[in-house]
Every structure is written in structure tokens, then in C-alpha cells.
Amino acid sequence: MRYSALSLMTNALTGHRRWRPAWRDAAPRDGYDVVVIGGGGHGLATAYYLASVYGITNVAVLDKGWIGGGNVGRNTTIIRSNYGLPGNTPFYELSMQLWEGLEQELNYNAMVSQRGVLNLCHSDAQRDAYARRGNAMRLHGIDAELLDRDAVRRMAPFLNFDHARFPITGGLLQRRGGTARHDAVAWGYARGASDRGVDIVQKCEVTGFLRDASGAVVGVETNRGPVRAGKVGMAVAGMSSRVAALAGLRLPIESHVLQAFVSEGLKPVIPGVITFGAGHFYISQSDKGGLVFGGDIDGYNSYAQRGNLPVVEDVCEGGMALMPMIGRARLLRSWGGIMDMSMDGSPIIDRTPVAGLYLNAGWCYGGFKATPASGRCFAHLLATDRSHDTAAAYRLDRFRTGHLIDEKGQGAQPNLH
Ligand SMILES: Cc1cc2nc3c(=O)[nH]c(=O)nc-3n(C[C@H](O)[C@H](O)[C@H](O)COP(=O)(O)OP(=O)(O)OC[C@H]3O[C@@H](n4cnc5c(N)ncnc54)[C@H](O)[C@@H]3O)c2cc1C
């Protein structure tokens, strides 16, 4: 079923009784060419590109819960490609370009809105760092503008420009950055994959791996029985360490909770995405009017999808420092998701030392914006056994060889990212 203005009108005239489910809720079969573990954005996008780009349609996506129940439906929806290091820049720009054509490609409204992402700076040193990052972006053909204080004031006059400790001195703006509706991205990829024959299997938890005599992975054990597979891809985000442990692997990843917050609906006030440069706070406004914001991860390891109160206070303090008017808004709801924090803050898309098992993990705070490129590159790896050019730096062995991609220069302290 294609979505269009005509189909909307026709269905409206018939009382909306003829819409068909967007994707098939399949039962697991005995075996597939490829099994992708995890029906988040990355797993579903991988299945979609396996089918649409590589013609591999004998694929299952297995999720222990429901699709969209993980981080893909819990994030603050920010998309951008304002990265500065060579390992990251082309990859995130590929993702941005895929976002720009995604809704037409999927025939699905993911509410991609390029309303701009503005990173504020509060000191000369930070301004220098942003100038460097902006220059690196422009050298890669990515849009970046360094704004002075007056230009920022014209965009967002409500900010606290004269804060005693953190006066705003300017900002780095990527106009093509913005937001996308997070759960619609999961549904859109699920629909595209399912249309091409992929089985999307919910409530199917992977509990172990099937191995042959050589130790190679040849399928998965699940709570709905064994499923054989030519290749198995892991895209389980915050559960990466636990699922990898089922195959005897120990990953350079810690799981931490990240919380998000939404205020009551307000009239339009925040023009795009704004990030505080002197603390961890980022904010945008949804089309319904709610202020959508977040901050730092909770400082201890956890597999619970809920956070603690000290971080709630910390995030709200960041908001108050940046835009004191936020103190008048009432908080409507908050929630948490489990982040797969890698030790250099950058992801892994690679084969593992176990034959037949492939890894997509380590997305930290930033995996939503990466969803299209991650799916595209993981599909490439699964289909060809070679890394996609733009993801060549995301090797698992970089933590052994020291070829880290430490975008923020904060080393092995994921709680500081
Ligand atoms: C509060 C919050 C705010 C964020 N904000 C942003 C942002 O603004 N911009 C941005 O770019 N990123 C953001 N992120 C990060 C981003 O959401 C994640 O990096 C990304 O969604 C992770 O990939 P995913 O969508 O595939 O993960 P998920 O949606 O978590 O998918 C993983 C799936 O694996 C399944 N699974 C786990 N174990 C098993 C098993 N044993 N068997 C079967 N299935 C299993 C889970 O049920 C889950 O559905 C944020 C995250 C959070 C929590």
C-alpha cells in the first residue's frame, strides 16, 4: 500500500477502515541467509538495505520486545553531521544525505525537519575549536557556519547571553541538521524491509548462538526455538555486551542510562536544535510544542530503561543556565534508554573474531542520526564481507591497536562524552 494524498482522501471517505498493517508481524522460520538481532533503527535499516541494495531478502530481524521499544523510540531525535575527525565525517554526512531522501525512498513520513543545529560556545578556546571543526566539515563539503554573538542573538534572543560564568560568545551552526520523528523511522524501515520479504519477528529473544564444529556461528537460539542463519548481525545497542557474551566475546563497551525530557506544549519558541557548550544540555521543540531536551548519561552502569534523580537535577540546571525562561515550563514526562558507550565515543561496524558473527554497536549518545548510514554500511558488510568505505575506521580491533576515533578528546571516560 502506497501512502499519498489520494490514498489519504480515499481512506478518509471510507472511514479509515481499509488501511492495511504497515508491516507483517512474522513468526520465525527455521533458517535465513541473514539474521539480524535487534529491531531498533539500526537492525531494521540493515534489513531494509540488505533487501533494497543487495537483493538479499531471505532475512529475519529478531527483537525481544517490539520494534521501536528500544532507543530508536526513546531518543531526542537530533540528526546532524557536524563531526570533525576523518573517521567520522564522511560516515555521518552519508547518513545526512540518506536522511534527506529517506521519506521519498521509504514513502513514509518520518517528519525529517532540517531546522538547524546550533552548538553554542562560551569562551575563546571553544570558539577556536568550533572554527576548526567547521573548517573540517567544509573541507568535506558539509555545511557549517561560525556565528558571532549577535548572529546567535538574532536566532535565539531568549538565551542567557550575559551569564556570569558562561557568557555566550557565538556558535557553530549546521543548517542541514535538525530532527526526525524517531519511532516513525523504525516503522518506515520496517515497512520497507517487510515489503521486500524480510521477516520482522517481535517478542523473539536471542538467548544463545548455534555453533558448528569449528566454532562458527550458524544461527541463534531464541525463546521461540532455534533459527539457523548463514550470517548473524548484532544490532542490539545497549544490550551489546550481554548478547556478545553469549558468543564468548567481551566488548569495549559499557551500558549507561540516558534520560530524555518533554515539557508541556508551548507556542513555537525554539527555532531549531540548540546545545549548551558549557554543560551537557540540548533542546529542540517538537511540532506539538513540547520542549524536548536531554543532558548527560547517568554515571553508573545499568541495564534499566529508567534514570536517577541527580541527573534530572543536573539536566534542569543546564537548561536554567542557558535559558532561564525554561523554569516556567512544566515537565510533562521523562524516560530512559540504555546506551552502548564505546571507550572512544565512536561506533563499531565490523566482523567479530567469531566466524559468521558481525557487530554493529558502540553508538553512545549519537546513534539515531547514524541510523541510515549504519544500516547501509552494516548491510554492505554482511553482504560483501568488506567494510563500506565510509565505515572503514569503525574496526573492533582499534581498541587493541590504538587507532581510536576520539572525537571529543575525552578518552576512555564515556560518562564525560
Ligand atoms: C534518551 C536518549 C536520547 C538520545 N538522543 C539522541 C539524539 O538526539 N540523536 C542521536 O543521534 N542519538 C540519540 N540517542 C541515541 C540513539 O537513540 C541510539 O544510539 C540508537 O537508537 C541505537 O540504535 P538502535 O536504534 O538500533 O537501538 P534500539 O532501538 O535500542 O534497538 C536495539 C534492539 O535490540 C533488541 N534486543 C536487545 N537484546 C536482544 C536479544 N537478546 N534478542 C533480541 N533482541 C534484542 C532490543 O529490544 C531493541 O529493540 C539517544 C538515546 C537516548 C536513550
Side-chain angles (χ1 to χ4, degrees):
M1 171 182 277
R2 278 195 69 75
Y3 298 135
S4 64
L6 186 65
S7 72
L8 194 60
M9 254 163 26
T10 322
N11 279 286
L13 291 173
T14 51
H16 291 294
R17 283 187 299 271
R18 292 193 187 162
W19 292 110
R20 290 207 308 271
W23 71 88
R24 261 182 323 114
D25 192 15
R29 286 192 275 117
D30 291 344
Y32 297 88
D33 292 338
V34 179
V35 162
V36 178
I37 314 173
H42 294 224
L44 293 164
T46 302
Y48 170 77
Y49 291 115
L50 274 171
S52 66
V53 178
Y54 300 95
I56 302 174
T57 55
N58 187 20
V59 175
V61 179
L62 311 181
D63 199 284
K64 67 174 180 166
W66 66 96
I67 65 166
N71 294 334
V72 69
R74 292 168 179 266
N75 59 68
T76 39
T77 77
I78 300 167
I79 60 173
R80 57 187 171 87
S81 59
N82 56 0
Y83 282 68
L85 294 185
N88 280 329
T89 315
F91 174 83
Y92 285 100
E93 178 55 16
L94 169 67
S95 215
M96 184 54 80
Q97 289 173 11
L98 291 170
W99 281 116
E100 286 172 330
L102 190 73
E103 293 165 302
Q104 286 71 26
E105 179 171 349
L106 296 178
N107 176 233
Y108 203 85
N109 181 9
M111 293 170 71
V112 176
S113 168
Q114 293 181 289
R115 54 185 72 182
V117 172
L118 173 63
N119 300 136
L120 297 171
C121 56
H122 308 267
S123 67
D124 291 346
Q126 197 170 27
R127 196 178 155 78
D128 286 351
Y130 281 172
R132 267 200 306 281
R133 174 139 62 105
N135 288 339
M137 289 165 64
R138 277 195 293 268
L139 284 171
H140 281 90
I142 304 169
D143 67 306
E145 291 166 50
L146 196 62
L147 304 186
D148 63 16
R149 182 183 159 94
D150 289 342
V152 173
R153 201 189 282 273
R154 281 193 294 278
M155 279 185 72
F158 49 84
L159 295 175
N160 191 359
F161 286 85
D162 302 312
H163 191 286
R165 284 179 69 198
F166 311 121
I168 294 167
T169 57
L172 183 66
L173 174 66
Q174 185 184 24
R175 289 192 195 273
R176 286 166 61 240
T179 55
R181 178 167 170 177
H182 46 196
D183 38 14
V185 174
W187 301 330
Y189 274 122
R191 175 171 172 265
S194 177
D195 277 355
R196 287 166 175 78
V198 170
D199 277 359
I200 293 164
V201 188
Q202 304 182 102
K203 298 189 187 134
C204 184
E205 178 169 3
V206 169
T207 53
F209 289 98
L210 304 173
R211 316 282 286 256
D212 69 8
S214 70
V217 162
V218 290
V220 292
E221 302 272 10
T222 80
N223 59 347
R224 295 172 71 173
V227 180
R228 300 191 72 78
K231 293 178 179 176
V232 176
M234 277 189 282
V236 291
M239 303 307 280
S240 294
S241 313
R242 298 188 71 167
V243 176
L246 299 174
L249 293 173
R250 186 154 182 256
L251 299 181
I253 284 177
E254 289 183 11
S255 290
H256 288 254
V257 173
L258 178 65
Q259 304 187 55
F261 307 86
V262 175
S263 78
E264 61 187 329
L266 304 172
K267 287 182 181 171
V269 56
I270 314 259
V273 178
I274 299 179
T275 74
F276 187 28
H280 213 146
F281 179 79
Y282 36 90
I283 188 164
S284 64
Q285 189 166 16
S286 77
D287 291 352
K288 281 194 292 187
L291 304 181
V292 181
F293 56 95
D296 222 336
I297 49 175
D298 286 23
Y300 55 87
N301 303 125
S302 174
Y303 291 104
Q305 284 177 318
R306 54 177 296 177
N308 66 16
L309 282 173
V311 170
V312 176
E313 189 177 9
D314 184 64
V315 172
C316 293
E317 279 172 5
M320 288 298 289
L322 185 65
M323 45 181 81
M325 68 168 184
I326 202 175
R328 306 281 296 275
R330 271 178 295 228
L331 200 61
L332 199 61
R333 55 202 161 90
S334 69
W335 61 87
I338 312 165
M339 317 306 325
D340 39 336
M341 304 300 294
S342 69
M343 293 299 103
D344 62 356
S346 291
I348 302 159
I349 302 179
D350 202 359
R351 299 154 75 151
T352 72
V354 178
L357 185 61
Y358 299 73
L359 177 65
N360 174 315
W363 293 100
C364 304
Y365 285 153
F368 179 62
K369 72 175 89 67
T371 304
S374 167
R376 180 72 178 74
C377 294
F378 200 35
H380 182 89
L381 179 70
L382 284 161
T384 67
D385 271 319
R386 282 182 288 110
S387 290
H388 190 276
D389 284 349
T390 62
Y394 296 154
R395 297 170 61 104
L396 177 57
D397 68 2
R398 72 178 187 271
F399 299 94
R400 179 162 52 76
T401 62
H403 293 90
L404 302 179
I405 317 166
D406 196 356
E407 181 78 29
K408 282 195 146 188
Q410 285 164 334
Q413 297 192 57
N415 58 327
L416 296 180
H417 275 281

